[in-house]
Amino acid sequence: MDERLRRQLDFILEIDKEKNIFRQTHLSGGGRRENDAEHAWHMAIMAYLLKDYANEEVDIAKVMIMCLIHDIVEIEAGDTYAYDEEGLKTQKAREDAAKEHLFGMLPDDQKAEMIALFDEFEAYDTPESKFAHAMDNLQPLMLNDSNGGGDWKAHGVSAKQVYSRQGKTALGSRKLFEVADGIIQENIRKGNLDV
């Protein structure tokens, strides 16, 4: 086997570990917590199906790849809950170290490509990264809604915190922010989110 193929296969096996990184969000309708790989897959499908609602023209294949790779770093960095203020302080440093190591397993050209896509996602300044982030925000919101706000209640998350995160959804899709706003308002009415 040549070196390039060996490195690609080693990376492919390594990222299987993403299935063992569990998020705080539970699957729809209750049950166990979802893992990072399920979250990424769900986001990628959402992006394709909802592409017509992006604020700007997007390269949907690029958006889908961003969705699929954005949490690979959590294999080493761990999952940082969106509302964990202490964890968020060290998230970038932990993820940058993991990014270099994990994507560094790949041949140099693919390492550069994956790091560029990851960094573009994190920078939040292209139409593709903004739309991918809209998926990253909307997906757990929908799951929380389907669970009667159970994850928000368990962590004492307020409507203000959810709006702070979801406000960025509008950068990628104003239409999907309208949907998110409706979900948040309904959960406030139901008492699932404190005001």
Side-chain angles (χ1 to χ4, degrees):
M1 180 182 321
D2 71 31
E3 178 70 9
R4 181 178 179 82
L5 179 56
R6 184 194 60 75
R7 290 179 72 177
Q8 291 167 324
L9 293 175
D10 286 348
F11 176 78
I12 289 166
L13 188 58
E14 184 69 16
I15 65 171
D16 183 64
K17 294 177 181 174
E18 190 177 11
K19 297 172 188 172
N20 292 315
I21 307 301
F22 287 89
R23 298 167 43 82
Q24 295 300 316
T25 309
H26 286 76
L27 299 176
S28 60
R32 68 171 173 79
R33 294 184 300 156
E34 74 172 340
N35 67 48
D36 273 357
E38 292 164 331
H39 168 66
W41 161 83
H42 207 185
M43 283 175 56
I45 296 291
M46 287 173 60
Y48 183 77
L49 295 174
L50 301 174
K51 66 183 181 279
D52 295 340
Y53 305 108
N55 290 342
E56 304 173 69
E57 253 334 281
V58 294
D59 176 343
I60 197 60
K62 186 177 189 183
V63 172
M64 293 173 73
I65 294 296
M66 283 182 184
C67 290
L68 290 170
I69 70 161
H70 82 288
D71 278 344
I72 285 175
V73 295
E74 293 185 0
I75 292 168
E76 294 182 1
D79 176 59
T80 303
Y81 186 48
Y83 306 107
D84 175 4
E85 291 180 20
E86 284 304 307
L88 291 171
K89 291 176 184 175
T90 62
Q91 181 180 18
K92 182 171 176 12
R94 288 182 285 115
E95 290 187 353
D96 281 349
K99 167 186 74 175
E100 288 299 322
H101 178 254
L102 290 165
F103 293 131
M105 296 176 70
L106 287 165
D108 290 344
D109 62 314
Q110 289 184 319
K111 171 190 175 184
E113 179 184 5
M114 292 295 107
I115 286 178
L117 284 166
F118 179 86
D119 288 346
E120 181 179 338
F121 176 83
E122 290 296 310
Y124 224 128
D125 59 6
T126 62
E128 287 79 13
S129 64
K130 291 173 186 174
F131 192 62
H133 270 285
M135 301 303 103
D136 198 23
N137 294 338
L138 183 61
Q139 191 265 355
L141 182 84
M142 291 175 61
L143 293 184
N144 271 303
D145 179 53
S146 80
N147 290 320
D151 297 319
W152 292 321
K153 291 178 195 174
H155 294 280
V157 176
S158 71
K160 181 180 178 181
Q161 289 173 292
V162 177
Y163 269 120
S164 176
R165 180 172 174 83
Q166 291 299 322
K168 295 177 182 175
T169 298
L171 298 175
S173 173
R174 287 179 291 280
K175 181 65 175 175
L176 295 178
F177 175 74
E178 291 173 16
V179 172
D181 182 45
I183 291 171
I184 295 167
Q185 288 299 314
E186 181 65 20
N187 278 278
I188 291 170
R189 279 192 291 282
K190 290 178 178 176
N192 297 333
L193 282 168
D194 295 329
V195 278

